Amino acid sequence: MRVIMIGGSGFIGQHTAKFISNNDLCVYDLVPPSFQADYVQGDILDEKRLEKSVDGSDAVIFLASLISVPRSFDALADYMNVNACGAASLIEAIKNANKRPKKVVLSSSAAVYGEGAYACDIHGKVYPLPRTQDQLDRGSWEPRCPYCGREVKPLPQAEEDELRPLSPYALTKQVQEWLITAMAPRLGYKAIVLRYFNVYGPGQRPDSPYSGVITKFITQAIREKHLQVFEDGLQTRDYIYVDDVGEINARALELEESATINVGTGIRTTVLQLARLIADRHGVDVVVGGYRQGDIRHSAARIDLMRTMLGWQPRMTIEEGVAATENWMRESGQLKNESSP
Ligand code: UD2
């Protein structure tokens, strides 16, 4: 099968490549991949060049996106251009190709759920309103029932839940989902939307203020700085190791039907647990306080579809994954430049 990975040179692409190496693989990206594959240098918005690369491919794995929730508030046009227009550009390319691909696997994000669904003792399943600036300034971190104002308990995020994106980033992922899914029957491909939860592991950029929290904390700990945990640290995320995600992408290529599937572990970890896990190994402090605009409070996946449709169960525990990530950061010399943030 000829597979084209668009935006395939990045963090998730390099781990996906290991699991699809038995295919005829092509990477379309601005920078060349670090692994063996045909390579076309190109911009996601260059429809003509994209069309040439897509033409004749059996499947597309679409990984080209800007990924930071906080940065998306300051770079609206970039996020709309790369993420939303990028997906539109792919569709134009598919539409105009002589031989269209039969499958498109989209890397979407759990961010599309926004704050997600919660359980209220009185009102059952509810969708809390986004936390207001005033609530956050007062340190009132937990979402509340929109009807009675009581604190509510987070439910696992399920694929059929309402989508209520809370950041420009999340909105662009929803646009990608909508475009890729809605155009599938018209253009004759199957759309497999994968909603990644918090992906981490070797290859993730550690040196930017917008890096994922795990590589950021490991960087701070190795540099003997304190770890800055936002809110009260009891917010939760579902962290999934990047090799697990790579294998899931490979399995998604085998699916014969369109589907939308969560990609997580189903396990909630508080940011404080994560910080302590890393801080204790290094003997550094954890400092709690402050908050980030647009952050949701709780996030964990319901993974029944991932199990049944992809036959998959996550392998790496957070302890093993954090250790493997730290080894990679040390061995690959990621932290040589001490002046970077
Ligand atoms: C991640 C992904 C995003 C999306 C989403 C899906 C990155 C950079 N972002 O967003 O693309 O797919 O997951 O669930 O991978 N935090 C601290 N201290 C810090 C930095 C972060 O306490 O110095 C907290 C932050 O407030 C949040 C949690 O750590 O509660 C995770 O933050 P993140 O930036 O790693 O990821 P998130 O969930 O915003």
Side-chain angles (χ1 to χ4, degrees):
M1 176 158 69
R2 183 162 174 82
V3 179
I4 176 163
M5 277 208 288
I6 299 170
S9 296
F11 169 48
I12 293 179
Q14 60 181 269
H15 291 278
T16 303
K18 293 185 278 192
F19 298 97
I20 56 174
S21 54
N22 54 336
N23 294 283
D24 175 11
L25 180 60
C26 173
V27 169
Y28 183 97
D29 203 309
L30 287 169
V31 293
S34 55
F35 49 87
Q36 193 57 45
D38 288 349
Y39 170 56
V40 178
Q41 184 180 38
D43 192 305
I44 179 68
L45 296 173
D46 185 343
E47 275 171 37
K48 279 281 156 235
R49 188 178 280 260
L50 197 54
E51 180 192 320
K52 271 198 206 130
S53 305
V54 161
D55 203 344
S57 295
D58 300 294
V60 175
I61 302 181
F62 187 84
L63 295 164
S65 283
L66 300 176
I67 58 152
S68 167
V69 173
R71 189 166 147 61
S72 69
F73 285 92
D74 298 326
L76 283 173
D78 284 349
Y79 273 72
M80 292 307 282
N81 272 330
V82 175
N83 294 3
C85 297
S89 171
L90 171 65
I91 287 164
E92 294 296 340
I94 293 175
K95 187 166 76 191
N96 296 325
N98 292 319
K99 183 175 174 278
R100 292 175 182 164
K102 291 274 163 248
K103 234 167 255 177
V104 177
V105 177
L106 170 69
S107 61
S108 185
S109 165
V112 296
Y113 293 116
E115 196 53 74
Y118 284 67
C120 169
D121 286 343
I122 310 291
H123 295 98
K125 183 172 175 176
V126 294
Y127 290 87
L129 296 170
R131 299 174 297 170
T132 61
Q133 182 104 26
D134 178 52
Q135 267 174 302
L136 295 170
D137 286 340
R138 283 189 283 112
S140 170
W141 306 119
E142 292 297 334
R144 293 180 175 273
C145 174
Y147 307 110
C148 64
R150 283 184 173 76
E151 271 194 21
V152 283
K153 290 200 187 69
L155 295 169
Q157 281 152 332
E159 290 85 350
E160 71 275 12
D161 281 352
E162 286 178 21
L163 304 186
R164 299 186 169 203
L166 286 182
S167 63
Y169 164 76
L171 180 65
T172 62
K173 293 312 270 184
Q174 188 182 3
V175 170
Q176 289 183 341
E177 285 196 6
W178 195 93
L179 290 173
I180 301 284
T181 307
M183 296 305 287
R186 290 171 187 241
L187 300 182
Y189 61 82
K190 303 293 179 199
I192 294 122
V193 173
L194 299 179
R195 290 189 181 144
Y196 300 158
F197 280 65
N198 288 57
V199 186
Y200 73 99
Q204 193 167 34
R205 266 194 76 179
D207 59 350
S208 138
Y210 304 112
S211 299
V213 68
I214 291 186
T215 44
K216 198 170 170 188
F217 279 172
I218 296 173
T219 305
Q220 288 164 343
I222 291 176
R223 291 181 178 161
E224 297 176 9
K225 294 185 177 148
H226 68 258
L227 311 189
Q228 181 66 50
V229 169
F230 297 136
E231 304 187 13
D232 58 357
L234 301 182
Q235 68 272 39
T236 54
R237 293 291 186 276
D238 181 337
Y239 298 98
I240 180 158
Y241 192 67
V242 68
D243 267 344
D244 286 346
V245 173
E247 198 165 344
I248 287 164
N249 286 339
R251 289 184 182 219
L253 285 178
E254 309 298 324
L255 274 186
E256 293 304 333
E257 290 308 319
S258 291
T260 296
I261 305 174
N262 283 340
V263 174
T265 62
I267 298 169
R268 279 180 201 285
T269 304
T270 68
V271 176
L272 202 51
Q273 282 171 331
L274 177 70
R276 293 243 162 89
L277 173 71
I278 296 168
D280 288 353
R281 290 158 59 105
H282 293 268
V284 298
D285 291 334
V286 171
V287 174
V288 178
Y291 65 84
R292 252 179 15 184
Q293 190 186 7
D295 266 359
I296 54 162
R297 178 67 176 170
H298 295 294
S299 164
R302 197 186 67 183
I303 56 171
D304 303 40
L305 278 185
M306 191 177 93
R307 286 207 180 97
T308 52
M309 295 193 75
L310 300 175
W312 177 254
Q313 190 123 307
R315 293 206 175 117
M316 264 317 212
T317 64
I318 187 88
E319 290 81 6
E320 292 165 340
V322 164
T325 307
E326 180 169 337
N327 284 343
W328 167 78
M329 284 167 69
R330 288 180 184 281
E331 282 163 14
S332 61
Q334 291 297 312
L335 301 174
K336 274 190 191 134
N337 179 5
E338 291 292 322
S339 63
S340 49

